[in-house]
Structures are given as C-alpha cells and as structure tokens.
Amino acid sequence: MTDPLALVAPGAMGAALGARLVARGVPVLTALEGRSASSRARAEAAGLRVVATGELMQARWFLSVVPPAQAMTLAREFAGWCQGVARPPVFVDLNAINPDTAAQVQAVIEAAGARFVDGCILGFPPKGDAPGPTIYLSDDAAELAALLEAHGLQARTLRGGVGAASALKMAYAGINKGVALLGAAMALAAQRHDAGEALRAALGQTHPALLAQLDHALPDLLPKARRWAPEMEEIAAFIGPERHEAGIYTALAAHCRALADDLDGAGEAAAVLRAF
Amino acid sequence: MTDPLALVAPGAMGAALGARLVARGVPVLTALEGRSASSRARAEAAGLRVVATGELMQARWFLSVVPPAQAMTLAREFAGWCQGVARPPVFVDLNAINPDTAAQVQAVIEAAGARFVDGCILGFPPKGDAPGPTIYLSDDAAELAALLEAHGLQARTLRGGVGAASALKMAYAGINKGVALLGAAMALAAQRHDAGEALRAALGQTHPALLAQLDHALPDLLPKARRWAPEMEEIAAFIGPERHEAGIYTALAAHCRALADDLDGAGEAAAVLRAF
C-alpha cells in the first residue's frame, strides 16, 4: 500500500489534486484547524482523510497548496508541528510565490529540521480523466515526481536549486494570466468606442490562436480576478521593484481588483467580457 | 490614368505603402520640407514623386502616416497648406493615435475647410508580393478603400464615425505589442533565475502558438522599442488616466524605453531576448 501523503490546504487546486491521488489509491491526509468551511467541504468531497495536525507529520511528503499570501503562514505552522518529531515530512511548496519568498520559506522549514523542496503547478486543476496541470519540482524530488506520475498526475523535475520552479511559475503566470488581463483591458476599452467587433475580426484574421485563448480566458478570469491580484504582486516582486517592468504587474494587480469589484457590484465590465 | 495620391511622411510604413501603390500604377506625391534625410532616401527608393507642398493639394486623398507624436503637427501643417485652396484633399489620418487625439486632428482639419477620415493600419509594411497590412477606414471613405484594394493594398471600411478606427488600432496594438512586451519582461526575469529554458518548454507544451508569436516578436521588438514607447502612452491615454489599466501601458512605455536604452548601450537584455 502506498504511504500517505499530506496536503494542506484544500482549495480548488489542492482538493482536485488530492481527489486524483485518492482515486488512484494514495491516502491523502489533511488537517483543517483554522481552515474555512469551504475547505472542509472540498476536502470531504475529494475523499481526503481529515486528521489532527500531529498525524500529518507521519507522511513522507507534505504538499503546501495555498494562496501566495498564506504560503509563509503555513510554513510557520508546519515548523511548529515539527517540534519533537524525529523525521518530519519533506515540505514541498507548490505555491505561486516568487523565488525570494521561496528562499524565506526554505529558511523557516530548514530551521525546524525538515527538508524543503521548491515546486510549482502550471495549468488548471485536474477534472474528470483529463490529464490536468503539470507539477514542477526541483531535481532532488525525483522520487516524489515518480510517485505523482504513477498516480495520475503529471510531474517533472527541473534543474536548478530552490527558486527555479518558483521563477518558472512567476514567468509562466506573468505571460499566461498577463495576456488574459491585457486582453480584458483592451476588450473593455475597444467596446467603449464601439470597436469591439472590429477588434475581434482583426485578431481573428491575424492571430486566431490568441483570439481563441482570449475567448476562453476573458469569462474565466472574472471569478478568479480577486485571487489573481496578489499573484500579480508576487510577479512584480519577482521582477524586482527597481525595474520598470515591475510597474506592469503592479498595475495588472490593480486591474484585477477593479474587475473583481465590478463582478461583486454592477457587473458592467463582466458583461462586456462575457459577450466579447 | 489614376489620379495622384498624396502621402506624408514616408517612414518605413509610409514608404512601403507608397512603393506598393507606385508599383501598381498610382502616382504618389510627397513633400519633404523639414523631413529627415532618411525620409528622403526612403521616398526616392519607393519611387514617390517629391513635390512642393502646394502641389500636394491637387491630390484627392492625403494620407498622414507619421509617428503618433507628429500626427497633430502634420495636421496643422496641412491646415496651413489649405489656405487659398478651393478643393483641398481629404485628410486621412492613418496614425496610431487615440480617439481623443483623432477628434482633435479632425477639428483642425475641418476648421481649415477640408474633410477628415479616421483610419489605421494593422500589420507589418508590405514587402515583396506578400499582402501586407490591412488599412481600416471609416465607412465614408469606401471610395478610397476601393482605390487601395484595386492597387495592391488590403483595405476595409469600419462602421462607426471618427474614433472607431483609432480605437481599433489602440486595442489591437495594446494586445499584440503588449503581449510581445510582457513576453520580453518575463523572458528576462526567468533568465535571471535560470528558468528561461523551462519557461520555453512549458509554454511550448500548453501554448505553442503564443510561443511561436514570442519567438518572432522578441528579437523583432528591439529596434522598434524606442518608437513603441509613445504608442504605449497613446494606449494609456486611450484607456483614460482615471482607470487602473492605464498604468499597465504607462509601465509598458517605460519598459520600451529601458529596452531601447539597453540596445543602445550594453545590450545585455537584447542578447537574452535574441537567444530566448
């Protein structure tokens, strides 16, 4: 029987990864002290085994899958749980954090006597039998990559130490989500001048794949915009505040919050993006 | 014989459009007072007929193809040339200016007693026998669109009055050039963390068309970055300074200038973008 794996905290991505592993025979432990009711509901629906935090420490691998702002909080909690534990799990940070934050998480984990692995997740949560996202891990975690691959998930190791996987996540999201947010900004501006239809036609003629990507991304980003804002700020920190390009992502974060506020309010921008 | 058409000022795009029309039998007039030596060289290579400004006023159409910062300057010059002319040409603004600027140009042209047409050019200058860019014109210029189509250029009319073509240009460039500049920012940041190769591989797996676009765009944008900076500022003005998204394009303008400075200087960023 496969050893249990620990996973905290089951948001949409974490729960879907956990559900896939459970379905393929891996016992997945989670703890829910201090987590939301929706985390509990998702954990139960995914078939995760909800345990006390102490029991998580028996796993060989501990996967941290939380919003970027909570990555350090969870690392500090994990460090506390390590006290008096002879062989704590390997802490695997899969979050959308920049390489500097990853190094800070590493310092906390290693000071608590545990091993740290830098990782990231690219793509959408697994759904049905579709392959789902790819998990990238530093190359000292080949054993975990093999375990995940053997149990229904796509995993790769990356050359480079701590920071390479985090940098990959930042740069990939900076392009992929950045393109969606630029497209949203321009679709809204064009529509204010009655040029939305002309924009679609022109893009369709010269950039059909990009238009297809926007057709998927514009309605899809609306419910995610609130969550994307701090991710855009992580990307600004990844670039470095001294560089001009950081301002692009600071402004994209503000754009995310404006879109999220619109969706919670009048929904005028949301209607334009859904209809583009 | 086809009536002559006037075109000012022959930059890379204007000269290429002019050369295509000349090759298809349209006499193209230009004036070069106050223009650069490179404009003169391009005009001669394109086979344009260099005339005194007064002679331009005999054309039926006057195409303004200049960098955005010079669009109003040329409009004011044209207004001056109209004095004492019974039937001045129709002034067709094909520049990357925002709809507010287009309305200001319109006011100058109409005050001088001439007709104004809002237009834009999407795509690269025509080269060899390739079809080249598409010229969009407001729908009161169907006659010009037909003339261009009949002489080797792609032209379309757009519903909507003054501003629709300018808005289309802004939104299209905001996506197309914006994607290239985001890609450049992320390629540079990834490479600083040795994650450039992983980024290419990940994008190639999930977004092959986008990667192909970046492969073309990243080396291509370097010599254009200086010229793109004011175009990004036009897009910020198009969005409106009161909106958060405007900050995206203000930052992209700064990013353009930094890339242009790098190319004129150490060329470190340029080397990374060429090798990506």
Side-chain angles (χ1 to χ4, degrees), chain B residues 4-43:
Chain B
L5 182 147
L7 189 156
V8 171
M13 176 64 84
L17 293 176
R20 174 66 59 92
L21 292 170
V22 168
R24 305 296 172 103
V26 182
V28 179
L29 311 180
T30 197
L32 293 171
E33 284 124 73
R35 307 291 159 196
S36 68
S38 56
S39 282
R40 176 170 298 274
R42 273 191 296 259

Short mmCIF file of all heavy atoms in Angstrom, two decimals, chain B residues 4-43:
data_model
loop_
_atom_site.label_atom_id
_atom_site.label_comp_id
_atom_site.label_asym_id
_atom_site.label_seq_id
_atom_site.Cartn_x
_atom_site.Cartn_y
_atom_site.Cartn_z
N PRO B 4 -3.30 61.27 -58.87
CA PRO B 4 -2.27 61.13 -57.84
C PRO B 4 -2.85 61.16 -56.43
O PRO B 4 -3.91 61.73 -56.19
CB PRO B 4 -1.35 62.33 -58.09
CG PRO B 4 -2.15 63.30 -58.86
CD PRO B 4 -3.17 62.52 -59.63
N LEU B 5 -2.12 60.50 -55.55
CA LEU B 5 -2.48 60.42 -54.14
C LEU B 5 -1.31 61.04 -53.38
O LEU B 5 -0.16 60.87 -53.78
CB LEU B 5 -2.67 58.95 -53.81
CG LEU B 5 -3.09 58.47 -52.45
CD1 LEU B 5 -3.95 57.20 -52.63
CD2 LEU B 5 -1.90 58.14 -51.58
N ALA B 6 -1.60 61.77 -52.29
CA ALA B 6 -0.51 62.38 -51.53
C ALA B 6 -0.28 61.59 -50.25
O ALA B 6 -1.24 61.09 -49.64
CB ALA B 6 -0.86 63.83 -51.18
N LEU B 7 0.99 61.44 -49.87
CA LEU B 7 1.35 60.66 -48.69
C LEU B 7 2.50 61.36 -47.97
O LEU B 7 3.53 61.61 -48.56
CB LEU B 7 1.74 59.25 -49.14
CG LEU B 7 1.95 58.19 -48.06
CD1 LEU B 7 1.73 56.80 -48.66
CD2 LEU B 7 3.32 58.26 -47.44
N VAL B 8 2.29 61.66 -46.69
CA VAL B 8 3.33 62.29 -45.86
C VAL B 8 3.30 61.62 -44.50
O VAL B 8 2.20 61.36 -43.97
CB VAL B 8 3.08 63.80 -45.70
CG1 VAL B 8 4.05 64.42 -44.67
CG2 VAL B 8 3.24 64.52 -47.06
N ALA B 9 4.40 61.30 -43.84
CA ALA B 9 5.75 61.39 -44.36
C ALA B 9 6.27 59.97 -44.50
O ALA B 9 5.93 59.14 -43.70
CB ALA B 9 6.64 62.15 -43.36
N PRO B 10 7.09 59.73 -45.48
CA PRO B 10 7.48 58.35 -45.74
C PRO B 10 8.48 57.77 -44.73
O PRO B 10 9.68 57.76 -44.96
CB PRO B 10 8.06 58.40 -47.15
CG PRO B 10 8.44 59.82 -47.36
CD PRO B 10 7.59 60.65 -46.48
N GLY B 11 7.99 57.28 -43.61
CA GLY B 11 8.76 56.41 -42.72
C GLY B 11 8.74 55.01 -43.31
O GLY B 11 8.37 54.81 -44.47
N ALA B 12 9.11 54.02 -42.50
CA ALA B 12 9.19 52.64 -43.01
C ALA B 12 7.83 52.20 -43.55
O ALA B 12 7.73 51.64 -44.64
CB ALA B 12 9.67 51.70 -41.91
N MET B 13 6.75 52.46 -42.79
CA MET B 13 5.42 52.02 -43.22
C MET B 13 4.95 52.84 -44.41
O MET B 13 4.49 52.29 -45.42
CB MET B 13 4.42 52.14 -42.06
CG MET B 13 2.99 51.80 -42.42
SD MET B 13 2.75 50.07 -42.94
CE MET B 13 2.57 49.25 -41.34
N GLY B 14 5.03 54.17 -44.30
CA GLY B 14 4.54 55.04 -45.36
C GLY B 14 5.25 54.78 -46.68
O GLY B 14 4.61 54.68 -47.74
N ALA B 15 6.57 54.63 -46.63
CA ALA B 15 7.33 54.40 -47.86
C ALA B 15 6.94 53.07 -48.50
O ALA B 15 6.80 52.98 -49.72
CB ALA B 15 8.83 54.43 -47.57
N ALA B 16 6.73 52.04 -47.66
CA ALA B 16 6.37 50.73 -48.20
C ALA B 16 4.97 50.75 -48.82
O ALA B 16 4.74 50.16 -49.88
CB ALA B 16 6.47 49.66 -47.11
N LEU B 17 4.05 51.46 -48.17
CA LEU B 17 2.70 51.60 -48.76
C LEU B 17 2.80 52.35 -50.09
O LEU B 17 2.18 51.96 -51.09
CB LEU B 17 1.77 52.35 -47.81
CG LEU B 17 1.40 51.66 -46.49
CD1 LEU B 17 0.55 52.60 -45.64
CD2 LEU B 17 0.67 50.35 -46.74
N GLY B 18 3.57 53.44 -50.07
CA GLY B 18 3.73 54.24 -51.28
C GLY B 18 4.35 53.43 -52.41
O GLY B 18 3.90 53.48 -53.56
N ALA B 19 5.39 52.65 -52.08
CA ALA B 19 6.07 51.85 -53.11
C ALA B 19 5.11 50.86 -53.74
O ALA B 19 5.12 50.65 -54.96
CB ALA B 19 7.27 51.12 -52.49
N ARG B 20 4.26 50.24 -52.92
CA ARG B 20 3.30 49.28 -53.46
C ARG B 20 2.33 49.97 -54.43
O ARG B 20 2.03 49.45 -55.51
CB ARG B 20 2.53 48.63 -52.29
CG ARG B 20 1.39 47.69 -52.67
CD ARG B 20 1.84 46.42 -53.38
NE ARG B 20 2.75 45.58 -52.63
CZ ARG B 20 2.39 44.58 -51.83
NH1 ARG B 20 1.13 44.29 -51.66
NH2 ARG B 20 3.31 43.86 -51.21
N LEU B 21 1.85 51.17 -54.05
CA LEU B 21 0.90 51.89 -54.91
C LEU B 21 1.58 52.33 -56.21
O LEU B 21 1.00 52.21 -57.29
CB LEU B 21 0.32 53.10 -54.16
CG LEU B 21 -0.60 52.75 -52.98
CD1 LEU B 21 -0.92 54.00 -52.16
CD2 LEU B 21 -1.91 52.11 -53.49
N VAL B 22 2.82 52.83 -56.09
CA VAL B 22 3.57 53.25 -57.28
C VAL B 22 3.75 52.06 -58.23
O VAL B 22 3.53 52.16 -59.44
CB VAL B 22 4.94 53.84 -56.88
CG1 VAL B 22 5.85 54.01 -58.12
CG2 VAL B 22 4.75 55.19 -56.18
N ALA B 23 4.09 50.90 -57.65
CA ALA B 23 4.31 49.70 -58.46
C ALA B 23 3.03 49.28 -59.18
O ALA B 23 3.09 48.64 -60.23
CB ALA B 23 4.82 48.56 -57.58
N ARG B 24 1.87 49.63 -58.59
CA ARG B 24 0.59 49.27 -59.23
C ARG B 24 -0.01 50.43 -60.01
O ARG B 24 -1.21 50.44 -60.29
CB ARG B 24 -0.40 48.79 -58.15
CG ARG B 24 0.11 47.65 -57.28
CD ARG B 24 0.35 46.36 -58.08
NE ARG B 24 1.02 45.36 -57.24
CZ ARG B 24 0.39 44.32 -56.69
NH1 ARG B 24 -0.89 44.11 -56.90
NH2 ARG B 24 1.08 43.46 -55.93
N GLY B 25 0.81 51.44 -60.30
CA GLY B 25 0.37 52.47 -61.25
C GLY B 25 -0.26 53.71 -60.65
O GLY B 25 -0.80 54.54 -61.38
N VAL B 26 -0.21 53.87 -59.34
CA VAL B 26 -0.75 55.09 -58.73
C VAL B 26 0.38 56.09 -58.53
O VAL B 26 1.37 55.77 -57.86
CB VAL B 26 -1.41 54.80 -57.36
CG1 VAL B 26 -2.02 56.07 -56.77
CG2 VAL B 26 -2.44 53.69 -57.46
N PRO B 27 0.27 57.27 -59.10
CA PRO B 27 1.29 58.29 -58.81
C PRO B 27 1.13 58.73 -57.34
O PRO B 27 0.03 59.07 -56.92
CB PRO B 27 0.95 59.44 -59.76
CG PRO B 27 -0.11 58.92 -60.68
CD PRO B 27 -0.78 57.76 -60.01
N VAL B 28 2.24 58.67 -56.58
CA VAL B 28 2.17 59.06 -55.17
C VAL B 28 3.08 60.27 -54.96
O VAL B 28 4.28 60.21 -55.22
CB VAL B 28 2.60 57.90 -54.24
CG1 VAL B 28 2.55 58.34 -52.78
CG2 VAL B 28 1.69 56.68 -54.46
N LEU B 29 2.46 61.34 -54.50
CA LEU B 29 3.19 62.58 -54.26
C LEU B 29 3.60 62.66 -52.80
O LEU B 29 2.85 62.25 -51.92
CB LEU B 29 2.28 63.79 -54.56
CG LEU B 29 1.53 63.78 -55.88
CD1 LEU B 29 0.69 65.07 -56.00
CD2 LEU B 29 2.51 63.66 -57.05
N THR B 30 4.77 63.22 -52.54
CA THR B 30 5.13 63.51 -51.16
C THR B 30 5.90 64.82 -51.14
O THR B 30 6.42 65.28 -52.17
CB THR B 30 5.93 62.37 -50.51
OG1 THR B 30 5.91 62.54 -49.09
CG2 THR B 30 7.39 62.34 -50.98
N ALA B 31 5.95 65.45 -49.97
CA ALA B 31 6.74 66.67 -49.79
C ALA B 31 7.71 66.40 -48.66
O ALA B 31 7.38 65.67 -47.72
CB ALA B 31 5.84 67.85 -49.47
N LEU B 32 8.88 66.95 -48.75
CA LEU B 32 9.92 66.59 -47.78
C LEU B 32 10.48 67.77 -47.03
O LEU B 32 11.46 67.61 -46.29
CB LEU B 32 11.05 65.82 -48.50
CG LEU B 32 10.62 64.44 -49.04
CD1 LEU B 32 11.70 63.85 -49.92
CD2 LEU B 32 10.32 63.48 -47.88
N GLU B 33 9.87 68.97 -47.18
CA GLU B 33 10.39 70.12 -46.43
C GLU B 33 10.34 69.81 -44.93
O GLU B 33 9.29 69.42 -44.40
CB GLU B 33 9.56 71.37 -46.71
CG GLU B 33 9.88 71.97 -48.08
CD GLU B 33 8.64 72.11 -48.96
OE1 GLU B 33 7.82 72.99 -48.71
OE2 GLU B 33 8.49 71.28 -49.89
N GLY B 34 11.48 69.93 -44.28
CA GLY B 34 11.53 69.69 -42.83
C GLY B 34 11.59 68.22 -42.45
O GLY B 34 11.56 67.89 -41.27
N ARG B 35 11.63 67.31 -43.44
CA ARG B 35 11.71 65.87 -43.11
C ARG B 35 13.18 65.45 -43.09
O ARG B 35 14.05 66.15 -43.61
CB ARG B 35 10.95 65.03 -44.14
CG ARG B 35 9.51 65.46 -44.37
CD ARG B 35 8.60 65.19 -43.18
NE ARG B 35 7.40 66.03 -43.25
CZ ARG B 35 6.57 66.26 -42.24
NH1 ARG B 35 6.80 65.74 -41.05
NH2 ARG B 35 5.51 67.01 -42.39
N SER B 36 13.42 64.28 -42.55
CA SER B 36 14.80 63.82 -42.36
C SER B 36 15.41 63.31 -43.66
O SER B 36 14.70 63.03 -44.64
CB SER B 36 14.81 62.69 -41.32
OG SER B 36 14.16 61.55 -41.86
N ALA B 37 16.75 63.18 -43.65
CA ALA B 37 17.46 62.63 -44.79
C ALA B 37 17.01 61.20 -45.06
O ALA B 37 16.91 60.77 -46.22
CB ALA B 37 18.97 62.67 -44.53
N SER B 38 16.69 60.45 -43.99
CA SER B 38 16.26 59.06 -44.21
C SER B 38 14.87 59.04 -44.85
O SER B 38 14.58 58.17 -45.66
CB SER B 38 16.31 58.26 -42.91
OG SER B 38 15.54 58.89 -41.92
N SER B 39 14.02 60.03 -44.53
CA SER B 39 12.72 60.11 -45.21
C SER B 39 12.94 60.34 -46.70
O SER B 39 12.27 59.74 -47.54
CB SER B 39 11.87 61.25 -44.64
OG SER B 39 11.28 60.87 -43.42
N ARG B 40 13.89 61.21 -47.03
CA ARG B 40 14.17 61.50 -48.45
C ARG B 40 14.67 60.23 -49.16
O ARG B 40 14.19 59.88 -50.24
CB ARG B 40 15.22 62.62 -48.57
CG ARG B 40 15.66 62.92 -50.00
CD ARG B 40 16.51 64.19 -50.10
NE ARG B 40 15.76 65.38 -49.67
CZ ARG B 40 14.97 66.09 -50.48
NH1 ARG B 40 14.80 65.74 -51.74
NH2 ARG B 40 14.32 67.13 -50.02
N ALA B 41 15.59 59.52 -48.49
CA ALA B 41 16.15 58.31 -49.11
C ALA B 41 15.04 57.27 -49.33
O ALA B 41 14.96 56.64 -50.38
CB ALA B 41 17.25 57.74 -48.21
N ARG B 42 14.18 57.11 -48.32
CA ARG B 42 13.09 56.13 -48.44
C ARG B 42 12.12 56.53 -49.54
O ARG B 42 11.64 55.69 -50.29
CB ARG B 42 12.36 55.98 -47.10
CG ARG B 42 12.99 54.95 -46.17
CD ARG B 42 12.06 54.67 -45.00
NE ARG B 42 11.88 55.87 -44.20
CZ ARG B 42 12.50 56.12 -43.06
NH1 ARG B 42 13.33 55.24 -42.55
NH2 ARG B 42 12.28 57.24 -42.41
N ALA B 43 11.83 57.84 -49.62
CA ALA B 43 10.88 58.33 -50.63
C ALA B 43 11.41 58.05 -52.04
O ALA B 43 10.66 57.61 -52.91
CB ALA B 43 10.64 59.82 -50.43
#
